[in-house]
Amino acid sequence: MSLDVTTIRKDFPVLSERINDKPLVYLDSANTSQKPRVVIDALAEFMATQNAPINRSAYHLAAQATERFESTRSKIAAFINAPRAHEIIFTKNATESLNLAILSWGRANLNSGDVVVLTHMEHHANIVPWHMLVAERGIVLRWIPLTSDFQLDLTDLDSILSGAKVLSFTSMSNVLGTINPVERLCAAAHKVGALAIVDACQSVPHQPTDVQAWGADLIAFSSHKMCGPSGVGILWGREDLLNAMPPFLGGGNMIADVRVDGFTTAPLPNKFEAGTPAIAEVIALGTAVDYLTGLGMHEVRRHEIELSSYVLGMLKGRFGDDITIHGPSNPEVRGATFSFAFRGIHPHDLSQVLDQHNVCVRAGHHCAKPLMRLIGANATARASFYLYNTTEEADALADALESASDIF
Amino acid sequence: MSLDVTTIRKDFPVLSERINDKPLVYLDSANTSQKPRVVIDALAEFMATQNAPINRSAYHLAAQATERFESTRSKIAAFINAPRAHEIIFTKNATESLNLAILSWGRANLNSGDVVVLTHMEHHANIVPWHMLVAERGIVLRWIPLTSDFQLDLTDLDSILSGAKVLSFTSMSNVLGTINPVERLCAAAHKVGALAIVDACQSVPHQPTDVQAWGADLIAFSSHKMCGPSGVGILWGREDLLNAMPPFLGGGNMIADVRVDGFTTAPLPNKFEAGTPAIAEVIALGTAVDYLTGLGMHEVRRHEIELSSYVLGMLKGRFGDDITIHGPSNPEVRGATFSFAFRGIHPHDLSQVLDQHNVCVRAGHHCAKPLMRLIGANATARASFYLYNTTEEADALADALESASDIF
Amino acid sequence: MAGLEDLYREIILDHYRTPRNRGELEPPAVSAEGHNPLCGDEIRIFLDVRDGIVTDVKFSGSGCSISQSSASMMTSAVKGKDVAQVRAIVRKFKNMMTVEEDTETPIDESLTLGDLEALQGVVKFPVRIKCATLGWNTLLDALDAAKA
Amino acid sequence: MAGLEDLYREIILDHYRTPRNRGELEPPAVSAEGHNPLCGDEIRIFLDVRDGIVTDVKFSGSGCSISQSSASMMTSAVKGKDVAQVRAIVRKFKNMMTVEEDTETPIDESLTLGDLEALQGVVKFPVRIKCATLGWNTLLDALDAAKA
Ligand SMILES: Cc1ncc(COP(=O)(O)O)c(C=O)c1O
Ligand SMILES: Cc1ncc(COP(=O)(O)O)c(C=O)c1O
């Protein structure tokens, strides 16, 4: 059974918006996804009729809010096949999740000269916190290079990993679309006794996730890229690992006891959830997970493979060498995210022209400047597709591209 | 002109909810406030028709989202009389704001033996991060004691502050209701060359705020306590101070450049806003600020003084020595937040019985265990009133309290 | 919505008003301390284990009617039992409270919880489950301390 | 919604296609580097200041049509002017772009921006203001470097 995209599109109010009487062609879901009506309603409904604090108060309204909040934790655990719900930590975004994982674990475990391996296709969120540890503790970074088809070059993996304490990498590149072999990488990390951290931002919204099959130690992703509200990130970690990590932010909810001379931490997950969380947003994220589960993540993935095949063929067919797509040519090893260069037109100008046709693409470095330097561009234009996008929208992108040449 | 509370109550959908056919009496706003319809609508409307990333993309939808997001920054700046909008940093809650201020500034500026002064009425959010610095760097904490009327005892202020590097304190106690003399405390801190950090969580929603009149250096507060959505906190800091502080979380949006061998930070405010923020929630917080400004913060404060006078007199009148209110007896130096002990009934049991009457109060340590030890209780019951509460609701609280004696 | 009568059964209020085994034990008895981080309740369990038998048990601290009565009933239920039996009772009680983590090992159906069954109503008030189980989790810590 | 014709005026595209003063200057000329963190554009401004006069100015780097043409027009506008005049022009331009921070000091009304006025349309595309001002902010850094 494949996705019924016509019906799905009706679930997303913004997709029916018209600007200057033309339909919106939203191709920026790798940045942030649109939200289905059920998620918006869950959020508004909670705020209007059930709003209450969690964990702290005993009255009915608060107890109900706590239960609903915790039910999202269980839903997320099931969604990524995490063994225990209390291994799910809610943060504000994937960036905080990664900082928590990297800085909390790193400050407790890494010392001068310790080697951390990253890849050349990481997002700044999986680079800058490591740079901070380079400055703080003198750790050393190594980088896995790329092949000419924009995949990780694993030829020398063993020697790159040798002696490493951590391998931290993205499951799917937000620039190239490349899907990395997560299981293989986690296994290789574990073989040398290194921790495996996965930036799962770009894959969790687009394909089934099984952290146990991956064999990962810590993974991070964001609600806002998977049909959920903004303001929520997720960190999953192995229970023993999270238990051994020092707390990251201090305050209410994360303590067992506080005295004038010290504090003790609460058990998981509270230990890592200081302060009042994004209560309504987490609850609405639960609705987003239900929505995605209802569609079926295998079907979402299949839809995006079909879209990728179409987009790759169509763009090459129409524009030949006038377009350069920075990413794998095989739809099976990539998501439907396409960075490209077109007829020498600067991506910023390109996206401005596309916007006149209501075609929304991102132009820039996509928070991956080291990768951009490798590609040899300051910026690319990026069109990223999701479960609600169609081949007609890909055509609209191509039509709009055509018109850009008229100006420049 | 005083508040028209009857009309205001209609703005808050949850206040019309009935449970078991009895009205809801929400007296837990010090924990989290209810949300007016305009805020819920702004959030839902943005998600349904204007949802887009900010800062990163050039197309119309994204530009519009960026503008609306930034307009909240300006509104918040005006609301607290901050000189520059880019001094406003959005976080996930006041707890993150305090951790950012304390850990970022503290790690760069505090060393073994350095003295930090807190008060005996602080929330865990303004204690635990300091404990973390005690463990990390060997700083020393001193505590300003309380008077018998639950105000700060400033008799020995000069000697407590002598040699201190920081004075960090709450503008209003979330347990006692006590409003502290912020200007005087900031001035005293500056006299000894100490930094003045204000936990403004409990005062910003309830009275006019002027950070320049206060003379504060850094202040923190939360959206969810001031009619805004959950998932957003605010840090304000003096520009020069924020510029000199190292970044706190690393990732996208906070960088000027990232190379394989290091990074440079973006200017304020981005430097402290790593990753995708709570876009829709920040925009809806702007609507909450408009709402509060429309009512007038002076009027809100006056309403709460009137409520306080009534509550204090009525509870004492009905229950005499059967009730002990842990907080100042003078409505002019307190907010409408009342922690109390009643006829020896454990607060948890009390709140359970009140809940049968739909009266929502918090029972517990209110994230202020050092203060609770001073009061000599593990827990108190706390009824906290806001702009939408009435004297009738105070009476409903008293009626419900009466019925608790029947059980215990 | 569950009514208060489900929560505040007479036997519970009786144990709250007249706690059994309240007090402390001197070493060589062991002890453990438990906190309910949400409401501030604190409890201390004292345990005298000799030849694998819990010969004496006491509790101190302060808390709500549910945490105090549950601790009181618990001490009555485990006093004089051998450690294996005590652990089985804890499992059975936590299972009734829906919070037993080990869901693989079967629960001993032959055990009866007696008065403790009065606490079943707490399950309808999920926030209070932590109150009811505070003493029990602390007892487990004390048992571990006795073994060490 | 503003149309593309407001943004991509002919004079802008002309400076984009045929940039003036593109290149580098050797020391003793000073230089400064600017980044647009949002889109990745980079620019480098080279400045030769002698006796308070900007005797030569060049720019290098890469970016969109707006950032490149704005830098190109800027170099034409400031070359040969004295430093005070240059700073006044920068202020006037940034004021037109709605991003001049110093709103107290009056803007010199007698100054004319000439071709640069073509960039006024950028204001209707707020995201692009950073593109238009990138070279100008970098010029200010270079002026500071020349003074030091
Ligand atoms: C691969 C990758 N990692 C991390 C992030 C950061 O996510 P967020 O901005 O939600 O914190 C993103 C998205 O921006 C991403 O694409
Ligand atoms: C005085 C005070 N400080 C800090 C906080 C923490 O705020 P938040 O939970 O929104 O981070 C609160 C509220 O819980 C508070 O009342």
Side-chain angles (χ1 to χ4, degrees):
Chain A
M1 192 200 76
S2 74
L3 290 188
D4 176 0
V5 177
T6 314
T7 305
I8 287 174
R9 290 179 66 81
K10 298 204 183 97
D11 296 337
F12 291 79
V14 81
L15 300 182
S16 312
E17 288 289 303
R18 297 178 76 83
I19 302 176
N20 288 339
D21 212 32
K22 283 181 289 192
L24 187 72
V25 179
Y26 187 76
L27 301 179
D28 199 16
S29 295
N31 204 330
T32 200
S33 78
Q34 293 301 340
K35 323 297 175 198
R37 170 60 69 193
V38 284
V39 168
I40 302 168
D41 286 350
L43 188 54
E45 175 77 10
F46 176 81
M47 290 174 77
T49 66
Q50 295 150 41
N51 180 66
I54 61 161
N55 287 353
R56 301 166 167 195
S57 298
Y59 54 84
H60 182 69
L61 210 62
Q64 194 179 47
T66 306
E67 249 182 300
R68 294 193 59 193
F69 184 88
E70 290 304 322
S71 86
T72 297
R73 204 185 298 281
S74 306
K75 286 176 189 179
I76 292 276
F79 194 67
I80 64 170
N81 196 29
R84 282 164 284 267
H86 61 250
E87 293 170 338
I88 303 295
I89 311 294
F90 292 117
T91 63
K92 70 173 172 180
N93 54 26
T95 300
E96 188 195 351
S97 301
L98 284 165
N99 276 268
L100 197 177
I102 295 167
L103 297 177
S104 169
W105 189 88
R107 285 180 180 138
N109 292 285
L110 295 177
N111 293 302
S112 180
D114 283 347
V115 171
V116 169
V117 177
L118 306 177
T119 85
H120 250 300
M121 58 169 85
E122 296 311 312
H123 187 279
H124 292 164
N126 190 29
I127 300 176
V128 179
W130 295 112
H131 279 324
M132 289 163 67
L133 288 182
V134 170
E136 259 181 52
R137 332 207 119 224
I139 64 165
V140 174
L141 303 183
R142 285 192 203 140
W143 303 78
I144 300 178
L146 307 190
T147 66
S148 58
D149 194 39
F150 303 97
Q151 301 187 49
L152 291 181
D153 182 347
L154 302 180
T155 326
D156 295 326
L157 182 61
D158 286 346
S159 72
I160 294 176
L161 275 177
S162 113
K165 290 272 163 66
V166 182
L167 170 60
S168 190
F169 64 98
T170 187
S171 52
M172 173 179 149
S173 164
N174 66 312
V175 179
L176 310 170
T178 315
I179 294 173
N180 289 320
V182 180
E183 292 186 31
R184 176 173 169 195
L185 288 163
C186 290
H190 290 159
K191 214 173 70 185
V192 299
L195 197 71
I197 303 179
V198 184
D199 174 353
C201 268
Q202 292 292 339
S203 74
V204 167
H206 299 280
Q207 57 182 43
T209 306
D210 183 337
V211 293
Q212 296 184 68
W214 273 359
D217 296 309
L218 291 156
I219 85 163
F221 55 103
S222 273
S223 159
H224 71 92
K225 293 190 202 281
M226 55 189 285
C227 301
S230 49
V232 183
I234 298 98
L235 173 70
W236 168 82
R238 283 195 290 111
E239 182 180 40
D240 56 335
L241 201 61
L242 292 174
N243 275 331
M245 278 159 57
F248 186 58
L249 301 180
N253 201 48
M254 55 72 75
I255 56 96
D257 193 16
V258 179
R259 299 174 173 270
V260 288
D261 59 357
F263 72 101
T264 49
T265 51
L268 294 177
N270 303 46
K271 175 181 170 185
F272 290 113
E273 295 181 356
T276 305
I279 301 174
E281 291 72 19
V282 165
I283 287 171
L285 169 61
T287 306
V289 170
D290 291 342
Y291 182 80
L292 289 174
T293 307
L295 296 181
M297 292 309 294
H298 280 288
E299 279 63 41
V300 170
R301 173 67 187 138
R302 200 176 323 148
H303 172 68
E304 294 187 18
I305 292 177
E306 284 166 17
L307 268 179
S308 289
S309 303
Y310 180 82
V311 171
L312 288 167
M314 181 272 293
L315 288 179
K316 272 296 160 199
R318 278 180 74 161
F319 300 118
D321 287 345
D322 280 1
I323 195 162
T324 307
I325 294 173
H326 308 291
S329 44
N330 174 1
E332 300 287 340
V333 301
R334 58 142 48 249
T337 289
F338 306 93
S339 282
F340 57 91
F342 184 73
R343 290 182 187 156
I345 302 172
H346 190 279
H348 222 143
D349 292 317
L350 206 51
S351 88
Q352 193 83 59
V353 177
L354 297 186
D355 184 41
Q356 293 292 309
H357 303 266
N358 292 345
V359 174
C360 305
V361 305
R362 179 169 171 192
H365 53 62
H366 316 295
C367 300
K369 292 194 82 168
L371 172 60
M372 300 309 285
R373 290 211 171 81
L374 212 67
I375 292 177
N378 281 345
T380 67
R382 183 187 69 185
S384 55
F385 295 71
Y386 199 16
L387 48 85
Y388 37 66
N389 290 118
T390 63
T391 53
E392 288 77 23
E393 292 182 303
D395 292 338
L397 165 68
D399 292 345
L401 281 173
E402 204 86 75
S403 79
S405 307
D406 302 347
I407 300 185
F408 298 98
Chain B
M1 191 201 75
S2 75
L3 290 188
D4 176 0
V5 178
T6 314
T7 306
I8 288 174
R9 289 179 66 83
K10 299 205 183 96
D11 295 337
F12 291 79
V14 80
L15 300 181
S16 313
E17 287 290 302
R18 298 178 74 84
I19 302 176
N20 289 338
D21 212 32
K22 282 181 292 191
L24 187 72
V25 178
Y26 187 77
L27 300 178
D28 199 16
S29 295
N31 204 331
T32 199
S33 79
Q34 293 301 338
K35 323 298 175 198
R37 170 61 69 194
V38 284
V39 169
I40 302 168
D41 286 351
L43 188 54
E45 175 78 9
F46 177 80
M47 290 174 76
T49 65
Q50 295 151 42
N51 181 66
I54 61 162
N55 287 353
R56 300 167 168 193
S57 298
Y59 51 86
H60 181 69
L61 211 60
Q64 195 179 46
T66 305
E67 248 183 301
R68 293 193 59 194
F69 184 89
E70 291 304 323
S71 86
T72 297
R73 205 185 297 280
S74 307
K75 287 175 187 177
I76 292 276
F79 193 67
I80 64 170
N81 196 30
R84 283 164 284 266
H86 61 249
E87 293 171 337
I88 304 293
I89 311 294
F90 292 117
T91 62
K92 70 173 172 180
N93 53 26
T95 301
E96 188 196 351
S97 301
L98 284 166
N99 276 268
L100 195 177
I102 296 167
L103 297 177
S104 169
W105 189 87
R107 285 181 181 137
N109 293 285
L110 294 178
N111 292 302
S112 180
D114 283 347
V115 172
V116 170
V117 177
L118 307 177
T119 85
H120 250 300
M121 59 169 85
E122 295 312 312
H123 186 280
H124 292 163
N126 190 28
I127 300 175
V128 179
W130 294 113
H131 279 324
M132 290 163 68
L133 287 182
V134 170
E136 259 181 52
R137 331 209 119 223
I139 63 165
V140 173
L141 303 183
R142 286 192 202 140
W143 303 78
I144 300 179
L146 306 190
T147 66
S148 58
D149 194 39
F150 303 98
Q151 301 186 50
L152 291 180
D153 182 348
L154 301 181
T155 328
D156 296 325
L157 183 61
D158 286 347
S159 72
I160 295 176
L161 275 178
S162 115
K165 291 273 164 67
V166 182
L167 169 60
S168 189
F169 65 98
T170 186
S171 52
M172 172 180 149
S173 164
N174 66 313
V175 179
L176 310 169
T178 314
I179 294 173
N180 290 320
V182 179
E183 292 186 32
R184 177 173 168 195
L185 288 163
C186 290
H190 290 160
K191 214 173 68 187
V192 299
L195 197 72
I197 304 179
V198 184
D199 174 354
C201 268
Q202 292 291 338
S203 74
V204 168
H206 300 279
Q207 58 182 43
T209 306
D210 183 336
V211 294
Q212 297 184 68
W214 274 359
D217 296 309
L218 291 156
I219 84 163
F221 54 104
S222 273
S223 160
H224 71 94
K225 293 189 203 280
M226 54 189 287
C227 302
S230 49
V232 182
I234 299 96
L235 174 69
W236 168 80
R238 282 195 292 112
E239 182 180 41
D240 56 335
L241 201 61
L242 293 175
N243 276 330
M245 278 159 57
F248 185 57
L249 301 180
N253 200 48
M254 55 72 75
I255 57 97
D257 194 16
V258 178
R259 298 173 175 270
V260 288
D261 60 357
F263 71 102
T264 49
T265 52
L268 295 176
N270 302 47
K271 174 180 169 185
F272 291 112
E273 295 181 355
T276 305
I279 301 173
E281 290 72 20
V282 165
I283 288 170
L285 168 61
T287 306
V289 170
D290 291 342
Y291 182 81
L292 290 174
T293 306
L295 296 181
M297 292 309 294
H298 280 290
E299 280 63 43
V300 170
R301 173 68 188 139
R302 200 180 318 151
H303 172 68
E304 295 187 19
I305 292 178
E306 283 165 19
L307 267 179
S308 290
S309 302
Y310 181 83
V311 171
L312 288 166
M314 180 273 292
L315 288 178
K316 272 296 160 197
R318 278 180 72 163
F319 301 118
D321 287 346
D322 280 0
I323 196 163
T324 306
I325 293 172
H326 308 291
S329 45
N330 175 2
E332 300 287 340
V333 300
R334 58 141 50 247
T337 289
F338 305 94
S339 283
F340 57 92
F342 184 72
R343 291 182 184 155
I345 303 171
H346 190 279
H348 221 143
D349 292 316
L350 207 51
S351 88
Q352 192 83 59
V353 176
L354 298 186
D355 185 40
Q356 292 292 310
H357 303 266
N358 292 345
V359 174
C360 305
V361 304
R362 179 168 172 194
H365 53 62
H366 316 295
C367 299
K369 292 194 82 168
L371 173 60
M372 301 309 284
R373 290 208 171 82
L374 213 66
I375 293 177
N378 280 344
T380 67
R382 183 187 69 185
S384 55
F385 294 72
Y386 199 17
L387 49 86
Y388 37 66
N389 291 119
T390 63
T391 54
E392 289 76 23
E393 292 182 302
D395 292 337
L397 165 66
D399 293 344
L401 281 174
E402 203 87 73
S403 79
S405 308
D406 303 345
I407 300 185
F408 298 96
Chain C
M1 199 161 92
L4 281 189
E5 61 286 359
D6 292 315
L7 192 61
Y8 296 125
R9 301 277 174 79
E10 199 40 57
I11 177 91
I12 293 177
L13 292 174
D14 176 55
H15 273 268
Y16 179 46
R17 295 192 193 103
T18 324
R20 327 296 197 259
N21 301 306
R22 213 183 148 82
E24 313 205 337
L25 294 175
E26 294 295 316
V30 298
S31 73
E33 196 178 58
H35 294 272
N36 183 335
L38 303 184
C39 67
D41 286 359
E42 290 173 357
I43 206 160
R44 190 158 204 107
I45 304 287
F46 297 84
L47 210 57
D48 214 338
V49 181
R50 296 185 190 187
D51 301 331
I53 308 285
V54 173
T55 54
D56 203 1
V57 52
K58 291 210 181 293
F59 78 99
S60 68
S62 66
C64 66
S65 59
I66 302 300
S67 75
Q68 297 290 296
S69 61
S70 181
S72 170
M73 288 192 252
M74 175 187 79
T75 56
S76 309
V78 304
K79 196 163 166 176
K81 301 267 190 336
D82 71 36
V83 169
Q85 280 175 306
V86 171
R87 288 194 182 270
I89 295 171
V90 176
R91 267 175 55 70
K92 179 133 194 176
F93 180 77
K94 289 185 71 174
N95 186 57
M96 179 173 88
M97 289 290 117
T98 69
V99 293
E100 174 55 31
E101 280 137 41
D102 173 8
T103 48
E104 315 267 287
T105 324
I107 301 293
D108 184 346
E109 295 300 336
S110 71
L111 276 178
T112 51
L113 288 173
D115 285 356
L116 284 165
E117 306 223 331
L119 285 163
Q120 184 133 36
V122 171
V123 173
K124 295 185 193 159
F125 298 81
V127 180
R128 305 305 291 275
I129 292 174
K130 287 219 166 94
C131 307
T133 53
L134 177 61
W136 298 77
N137 288 323
T138 313
L139 175 67
L140 287 178
D141 289 344
L143 283 172
D144 289 346
K147 210 165 52 188
Chain D
M1 200 160 92
L4 280 188
E5 61 287 0
D6 293 316
L7 193 62
Y8 297 124
R9 301 277 176 78
E10 199 40 57
I11 176 92
I12 293 178
L13 291 173
D14 176 56
H15 273 267
Y16 179 46
R17 295 193 192 102
T18 323
R20 327 295 198 259
N21 301 307
R22 213 183 147 83
E24 314 206 335
L25 294 174
E26 294 295 317
V30 299
S31 74
E33 195 178 59
H35 294 272
N36 182 336
L38 303 183
C39 69
D41 284 1
E42 291 173 356
I43 207 159
R44 189 156 207 109
I45 303 288
F46 297 84
L47 210 56
D48 214 339
V49 182
R50 295 186 191 188
D51 301 331
I53 309 282
V54 173
T55 54
D56 203 1
V57 52
K58 291 212 182 291
F59 78 100
S60 68
S62 66
C64 66
S65 59
I66 302 300
S67 76
Q68 297 292 294
S69 61
S70 180
S72 170
M73 287 192 252
M74 173 187 80
T75 55
S76 310
V78 304
K79 197 165 163 174
K81 301 266 190 338
D82 71 38
V83 169
Q85 280 175 306
V86 171
R87 288 194 182 269
I89 295 172
V90 176
R91 266 174 57 69
K92 179 133 194 176
F93 181 77
K94 289 184 72 175
N95 186 57
M96 179 174 89
M97 289 291 118
T98 71
V99 294
E100 174 54 31
E101 279 136 42
D102 172 8
T103 48
E104 315 267 288
T105 324
I107 301 292
D108 185 346
E109 296 300 336
S110 71
L111 276 178
T112 50
L113 288 172
D115 285 357
L116 285 164
E117 305 223 334
L119 284 163
Q120 184 134 35
V122 172
V123 173
K124 295 184 192 158
F125 298 81
V127 180
R128 305 304 292 274
I129 292 174
K130 288 219 167 93
C131 307
T133 54
L134 177 62
W136 296 77
N137 288 323
T138 312
L139 174 67
L140 286 178
D141 290 344
L143 282 172
D144 290 345
K147 210 165 50 186

